[in-house]
Amino acid sequence: MAVSVSEPSWVSEDQYRSIQAGLRVVAAWADAEHEPEAALDGALRRESDPGDVVVGLATVSRLLAIELAAATGATEGAILARLGARVDRMQHS
């Protein structure tokens, strides 16, 4: 079913553009079989607006936390706390 122009969108066009930028960066990084750091760097350089990337990555992270919470029965806060703990372990190992 087509969405009519008068129906409100989930997010504004600017927010949607930011989310798409974040998804492109994450997808390029995740798809890299070799040299993931270079893939991430290249994906970041291809995006024209660093602000869009920051907002997009934050939004993508939040959406992933929501999805993981729904899939596991945990809260979003618990998912993010586990992620924070993992980052700390990786940094200090």
Side-chain angles (χ1 to χ4, degrees):
M1 179 174 147
V3 175
S4 110
V5 175
S6 62
E7 291 182 29
S9 297
W10 173 61
V11 294
S12 72
E13 285 300 315
D14 288 341
Q15 291 166 321
Y16 181 75
R17 184 181 63 245
S18 294
I19 293 166
Q20 290 297 316
L23 284 169
R24 283 191 298 271
V25 169
V26 171
W29 192 16
D31 288 344
E33 292 184 26
H34 304 287
E35 301 184 28
E37 292 81 11
L40 175 60
D41 184 59
L44 290 169
R45 290 177 191 276
R46 283 189 295 276
E47 294 299 328
S48 61
D49 187 338
D52 276 350
V53 173
V54 170
V55 171
L57 289 173
T59 305
V60 167
S61 297
R62 177 86 191 273
L63 292 171
L64 286 171
I66 290 168
E67 288 293 320
L68 281 170
T72 63
T75 66
E76 185 182 342
I79 296 293
L80 292 171
R82 287 182 60 188
L83 180 60
R86 178 179 297 267
V87 168
D88 287 344
R89 281 194 308 275
M90 291 170 68
Q91 179 65 24
H92 301 291
S93 63

